[in-house]
Amino acid sequence: MMCGLEIHVQLETESKLFCDCPTNFNEAPINQNICPICLNQPGAKPHPTNQHAIENALMIALMLNCKIDQGFTYFMRKHYDYPDLSSGYQRTSVPIGYEGELNGIRIREIHIEEDPGQYKPDRGIVNFNRSGIPLVEIVTEPDITSPEEARNFLKEIIRVLQYSGAARGENSMKADVNISLNGGNRVEMKNVNSIKGAYRALKFEIVRQKNLIKRGVEIQQETRAYIESQMITTRMRLKEDADDYRFIPDPDLPPMEIPDELIQKVADIMPEAPHHKVERFVKDYGIDEESAKVLTSELDLAIAYEEVVKEIDPVFAAKWMRDELKRVLSYNKLDYADSGITVEHLVEFLNMLQNKEITTKAGQRIIEQMPNNEKSPKEIAEELGLLGVVKDDEVLAAVKQAIDENPKAVQDYHDGQKASLNFLVGQVMRLTRGKADPGETVKLLKENL
Ligand SMILES: [Zn+2]
């Protein structure tokens, strides 16, 4: 399988690409964020291109290791007719960046486009709030060889875009997915608007094409629509080429130059890309790549980790933040940024563990209480009575007490009911208020039973 992607994501700007209308298209009442320019009324001319959109697209190009075209950049008109496009053409720039790379997948080019409006055929409604919002389009070479690889690549692209702060996330993503099998004709699937959708569309399309090939039918070059609700693709049109769009340079927009100073300015404020951060975490902190990937999965989490390791052993901190912190966050469906867990609290918590003021078990219970809690980990530990590690002789005393008090469980254990051991472990934990080491408890129980 050979697969290439064309990924469209909205750029993060306050106003549209060629006018001053705001970009909060979802919140505004229908057809509120519009003006003669983004409705393309006769005589309305576009403003000069939104500088912020150009800078954001440049940043994305640089973060994806692209070369920057320093010649003149200009916009083309791409013609097609659909109710969401009042002018009959979409403005799309020539490439701003080209020959980039991410995770071994080559990026062919990156350019800017304007979003069309939203058309709801079933209700006969067109909403132009979205018309003219700047998009970045990222085009890959057909280097992707499986649906899983496509999914991973899209996840990584979305992560880079989130890190950049220059584009919106998966919710604004639309992708065209190209696929060919065994060097056959290329089929393009449109309307894919999520990572999961791209994965499912590819899975479906592979089966469809394989069945045709098995029957000796040649795959035709065509454009297909992916229908999310049914997880299938259906034919939209046969053979479409660039010529069909009658591209011409837009005469209303003068060519723009991208000067060295602008590239330098963007490079100076550009955040470190996540894949670079992974490499640096592995090298600087001596942690494994899997941990580094989890810790960089969210920019705020990565920043917190780097603050924490100024005071805590990096490997120890990585283990707890990767396993337990992430467990608690995903249980509560929270991002780290929304968890209210401060670096200060993390440091205090990890110090308590490192200094053996609390057991691992107690640590797991404390961290569960930490999201959106103003109390410090120490205060939580005191409140739950988890401070302190119980000495072995105290555990032994609790083991003996548990055995004395539960003769039936002891009898069941000797009769071969292993589950009763768990019951006795629970009793020891209760007696020691969770401060006994579970492994040690099991060992002592078996000896004394
Ligand atoms: Zn407007």
Side-chain angles (χ1 to χ4, degrees), residues 179-426:
I179 170 175
S180 67
L181 291 185
N182 307 335
N185 273 325
R186 199 185 77 150
V187 172
E188 177 170 356
M189 291 177 283
K190 291 194 177 280
N191 297 354
V192 180
N193 54 19
S194 68
I195 295 172
K196 203 191 280 170
Y199 175 77
R200 286 174 175 170
L202 279 169
K203 280 274 192 195
F204 174 84
E205 194 55 24
I206 288 172
V207 173
R208 189 188 71 87
Q209 292 193 19
K210 270 189 180 165
N211 283 338
L212 288 175
I213 292 168
K214 226 181 263 171
R215 299 198 329 247
V217 181
E218 195 196 349
I219 306 295
Q220 286 179 298
Q221 183 190 333
E222 62 178 328
T223 302
R224 298 180 71 83
Y226 173 61
I227 300 169
E228 176 86 53
S229 56
Q230 298 169 49
M231 289 191 260
I232 58 163
T233 66
T234 59
R235 171 175 291 171
M236 287 170 83
R237 49 188 175 261
L238 278 173
K239 280 203 192 255
E240 107 199 309
D241 286 313
D243 287 347
D244 299 328
Y245 288 110
R246 295 167 288 137
F247 282 94
I248 57 162
D250 191 314
D252 287 335
L253 288 159
M256 323 169 275
E257 218 178 344
I258 297 181
D260 282 340
E261 302 85 71
L262 181 63
I263 298 172
Q264 195 53 49
K265 180 187 152 193
V266 171
D268 287 346
I269 57 167
M270 181 174 81
E272 183 180 32
H275 48 289
H276 292 151
K277 212 181 269 295
V278 169
E279 286 165 21
R280 187 168 60 77
F281 276 19
V282 169
K283 195 164 132 280
D284 289 3
Y285 301 125
I287 62 177
D288 59 284
E289 193 180 324
E290 206 38 55
S291 300
K293 277 188 180 159
V294 175
L295 291 168
T296 55
S297 60
E298 205 193 318
L299 181 57
D300 288 283
L301 183 65
I303 292 171
Y305 175 72
E306 292 210 88
E307 287 299 313
V308 165
V309 298
K310 287 177 183 164
E311 303 189 43
I312 305 286
D313 174 66
V315 176
F316 184 75
K319 189 181 174 315
W320 272 87
M321 288 175 74
R322 185 196 70 183
D323 296 342
E324 296 300 327
L325 178 60
K326 278 297 259 189
R327 172 179 68 85
V328 171
L329 291 177
S330 74
Y331 177 78
N332 289 291
K333 297 195 173 59
L334 285 171
D335 285 336
Y336 174 74
D338 310 320
S339 72
I341 299 177
T342 61
V343 168
E344 203 186 338
H345 282 174
L346 279 173
V347 168
E348 183 182 303
F349 171 70
L350 293 169
N351 262 325
M352 282 161 61
L353 280 163
Q354 261 191 327
N355 301 335
K356 301 222 181 320
E357 292 166 38
I358 50 172
T359 60
T360 303
K361 191 91 193 149
Q364 287 167 340
R365 284 184 58 194
I366 292 165
I367 200 167
E368 284 166 10
Q369 305 293 320
M370 282 169 65
N372 295 316
N373 193 340
E374 281 177 12
K375 294 195 187 95
S376 73
K378 204 158 247 169
E379 287 167 338
I380 297 171
E382 270 166 14
E383 208 174 76
L384 297 176
L386 295 172
L387 266 186
V389 177
V390 172
K391 303 271 180 325
D392 286 353
D393 51 348
E394 287 177 62
V395 180
L396 183 59
V399 162
K400 287 187 169 155
Q401 191 182 339
I403 289 173
D404 285 347
E405 287 175 356
N406 298 284
K408 176 151 190 326
V410 173
Q411 190 55 50
D412 288 347
Y413 176 78
H414 289 302
D415 290 345
Q417 291 185 33
K418 298 299 170 206
S420 62
L421 185 64
N422 295 336
F423 171 78
L424 290 167
V425 171

Side-chain angles (χ1 to χ4, degrees), residues 16 19-21 33-39 131:
K16 293 185 180 179
C19 66
D20 294 331
C21 292
N33 294 352
I34 54 171
C35 73
I37 296 171
C38 56
L39 285 185
S131 172

Side-chain angles (χ1 to χ4, degrees), residues 49 75 79 161 201 328 364 386 404 449:
T49 313
F75 280 84
H79 294 82
L161 295 176
V328 171
Q364 287 167 340
L386 295 172
D404 285 347
L449 279 163

